[in-house]
């Protein structure tokens, strides 16, 4: 079964670095990965939490839900986003200071 | 009923100091309801020497509850929620985050299946306290609950209670800043007093608040508290830009501090002080303007 993994990003794309904030990140880079770790598709979506007046974490997680994301890789989520991710059943993995490509490789190699 | 609002933008300029002293002076001739709408840090009762607030009521705001027998999981409620207080998870029913809810009721009206039940949460409290010794003075106080994010609904609630209590003069003391709650406090004012101080910060925040009263078309005068601390040249220039017709100066003087320490308004503590006299002149001018004068 292919998996949709979201990366918390600024401009988006495989060479962008993981953004430092979760709910207020400008974009999510959603990578669909096949059973053998091959990349099936890459999509950059705007995060509605970026411009939200309040509830950025919830709005960000809602976007991930609507996109069918199962795993999100980025900074530690804030308290609201954390609760929302739990409710949504989306797994959150902390990774910072790397590009999306590096983060994906690390994730796939199980590190 | 007349409405006089004391505001100022910057915190710590003496809004409550001016408001409580004016309340005491007005109460000699008028029935005064002083509304402390600085709900994040209400302290007019301390300045008036009121030990205990009474007649507590809850300041409630709407909070949605989901009727799971009617909910079809369409997700409309989560989409219309401006504050992000409703999450539509992939499985199960919508999840409400009470802390984020501002009580706007958009979800209630948007739900096509009437599956939103009207509940409420308590954001704060209001109190109506008669002054123990000044017969004509009633204090209405708003208190925001610790950790609450939404100030405006509490201010609306407390202001309503003050309006229902007032019959001659409603004197409103606003909080600091220029947020939505300040505009709510200012609305329908007959006269606004913007309290500032002769410092760059005082100047900066005075302009911020004058922009609002100007936009709202409210007659505004300025009170420069702690006068003597610094230059007011730029303040006066800014006032001209915003059509402020009149300004007052309250001197930076020990009597003001002493009255604070005693917990007694300075106009009662030392009526002969130059501080009290300057506040008295604010009182006569505002009273004249609000009530037309000539009644003495």
């Amino acid at each position: 079964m292919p998996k949709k993994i979201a990366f918390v990003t600024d401009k988006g794309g495989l060479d962008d670095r993981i953004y430092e904030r979760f709910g207020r990140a400008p974009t999510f880079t959603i990578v669909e990965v096949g059973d053998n770790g091959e990349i099936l598709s890459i999509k950059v979506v705007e995060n509605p939490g970026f411009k939200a007046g309040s509830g950025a974490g919830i709005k960000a997680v809602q976007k991930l839900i609507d996109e069918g994301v199962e795993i999100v890789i980025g900074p530690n989520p804030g308290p609201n986003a954390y609760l929302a991710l739990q409710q949504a059943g989306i797994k959150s993995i902390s990774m910072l200071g790397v590009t999306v490509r590096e983060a994906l490789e690390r994730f796939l190699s199980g590190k | 009923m007349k409405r006089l609002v004391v505001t100022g933008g910057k915190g710590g300029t003496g809004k409550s100091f001016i408001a409580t002293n004016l309340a005491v002076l007005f109460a000699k001739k008028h029935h005064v309801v002083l509304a402390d709408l600085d709900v994040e840090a209400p302290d007019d009762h301390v300045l008036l020497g009121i030990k205990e607030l009474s007649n507590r009521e809850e300041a409630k705001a709407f909070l949605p509850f989901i009727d799971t027998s009617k909910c079809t999981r369409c997700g409309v409620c989560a989409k219309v929620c401006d504050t992000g207080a409703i999450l539509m998870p992939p499985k199960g029913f919508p999840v409400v985050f009470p802390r984020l809810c501002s009580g706007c009721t958009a979800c209630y009206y948007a739900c096509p299946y009437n599956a939103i039940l009207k509940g409420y949460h308590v954001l704060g409290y209001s109190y109506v306290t008669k002054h123990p010794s000044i017969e004509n003075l009633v204090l209405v106080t708003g208190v925001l609950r610790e950790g609450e994010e939404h100030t405006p609904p509490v201010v609306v609630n407390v202001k309503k209670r003050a309006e229902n209590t007032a019959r001659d003069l409603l004197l409103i003391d606003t909080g600091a800043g220029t947020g939505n709650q300040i505009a709510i406090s200012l609305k329908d004012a007959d006269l606004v007093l913007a309290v500032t101080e002769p410092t760059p910060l005082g100047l900066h925040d005075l302009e911020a608040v004058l922009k609002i009263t100007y936009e709202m078309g409210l007659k505004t005068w300025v009170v420069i508290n702690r006068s003597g601390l610094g230059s007011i040249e730029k303040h006066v220039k800014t006032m001209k830009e915003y059509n402020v017709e009149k300004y007052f100066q309250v001197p930076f003087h020990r009597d003001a501090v002493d009255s604070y320490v005693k917990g007694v308004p300075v106009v009662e503590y030392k009526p002969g002080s130059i501080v009290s006299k300057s506040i008295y002149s604010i009182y006569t001018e505002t009273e004249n303007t609000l009530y037309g004068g000539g009644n003495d």
Side-chain angles (χ1 to χ4, degrees), chain B residues 12-80:
Chain B
T13 55
K15 292 180 292 298
S16 298
F17 172 68
I18 297 296
T20 49
N21 276 287
L22 285 178
V24 169
L25 293 175
F26 267 101
K28 292 182 195 302
K29 197 170 153 186
H30 297 272
H31 179 269
V32 180
V33 168
L34 174 61
D36 192 353
L37 298 188
D38 184 5
V39 301
E40 291 172 20
D43 49 18
D44 286 359
H45 57 286
V46 180
L47 296 178
L48 287 169
I50 294 173
K51 297 266 184 316
E52 209 173 325
L53 298 174
S54 33
N55 301 308
R56 186 174 97 159
E57 271 180 21
E58 289 171 335
K60 296 170 187 172
F62 163 83
L63 180 70
F65 285 80
I66 312 295
D67 182 345
T68 51
S69 68
K70 288 184 183 165
C71 178
T72 65
R73 309 187 55 256
C74 71
V76 164
C77 53
K79 279 202 184 75
V80 298

Side-chain angles (χ1 to χ4, degrees), chain B residues 31-35 136-138 140 162 165-167 169-172:
Chain B
H31 179 269
V32 180
V33 168
L34 174 61
N136 265 337
L137 181 54
V138 178
V140 177
T165 312
R167 50 180 195 263
L169 177 69
L170 175 58
L171 177 53
I172 290 174

